[in-house]
């Protein structure tokens, strides 16, 4: 089921979103200050590419908290809102519920990517 879910996810837009995150990561990595943010964008691209069968483990300390706060203010809140809206729209149908749950997983990672690991 994970394979089928990932294939459907990619065909229905996941590939384009993942490419968007990767491009954003490349743009952010142009400057030295943007490299940490770019690395988090690559993390989002990885999760967006194959969300079924992967999980996110959150950890980190004070440094991660401070970086997450900066991320939240700059882009995290808006990205999380977009993922929640997509999740709610997907959950409007029975067939879309698994895709909605993956969108909610990505919304949480969009809020707090620093200190998180994708397994």
């Amino acid at each position: 089921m994970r394979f089928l879910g990932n294939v459907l996810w990619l065909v229905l837009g996941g590939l384009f979103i993942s490419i968007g995150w990767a491009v954003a990561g490349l743009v952010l990595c142009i400057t030295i200050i943007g490299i940490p943010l770019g690395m988090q964008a690559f993390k989002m691209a990885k999760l967006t590419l194959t969300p079924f069968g992967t999980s996110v483990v959150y950890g980190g300390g004070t440094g991660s908290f401070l970086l997450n706060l900066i991320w939240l203010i700059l882009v995290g809140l808006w990205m999380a809102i977009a993922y929640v809206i997509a999740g709610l729209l997907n959950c409007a149908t029975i067939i879309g519920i698994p895709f909605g749950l993956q969108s909610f997983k990505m919304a949480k990672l969009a809020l707090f990517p620093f200190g998180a690991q994708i397994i």
Side-chain angles (χ1 to χ4, degrees):
M1 282 309 280
R2 291 184 307 197
F3 176 75
L4 181 61
N6 283 328
V7 169
L8 286 172
W9 180 270
L10 288 174
V11 170
L12 297 175
L15 181 62
F16 295 114
I17 297 170
S18 181
I19 290 171
W21 275 112
V23 168
L26 288 172
V27 169
L28 286 168
C29 285
I30 290 173
T31 65
I32 292 174
I33 296 172
I35 290 175
L37 299 175
M39 298 307 290
Q40 303 315 307
F42 290 136
K43 190 182 295 182
M44 287 297 300
K46 180 181 176 184
L47 181 64
T48 304
L49 195 58
T50 56
F52 290 93
T54 59
S55 60
V56 181
V57 178
Y58 293 93
T62 305
S64 294
F65 173 76
L66 294 175
L67 290 170
N68 278 328
L69 188 60
I70 294 169
W71 174 271
L72 179 71
I73 293 168
L74 294 177
V75 295
L77 183 62
W78 298 110
M79 292 308 302
I81 290 171
Y83 277 120
V84 167
I85 290 170
L88 291 173
L89 290 173
N90 281 320
C91 287
T93 65
I94 293 174
I95 296 172
I97 290 174
F99 298 101
L101 295 176
Q102 300 309 313
S103 293
F104 295 142
K105 178 170 52 173
M106 285 183 262
K108 185 175 179 185
L109 183 63
L111 281 176
F112 309 112
F114 288 93
Q117 295 178 350
I118 299 173
I119 299 174

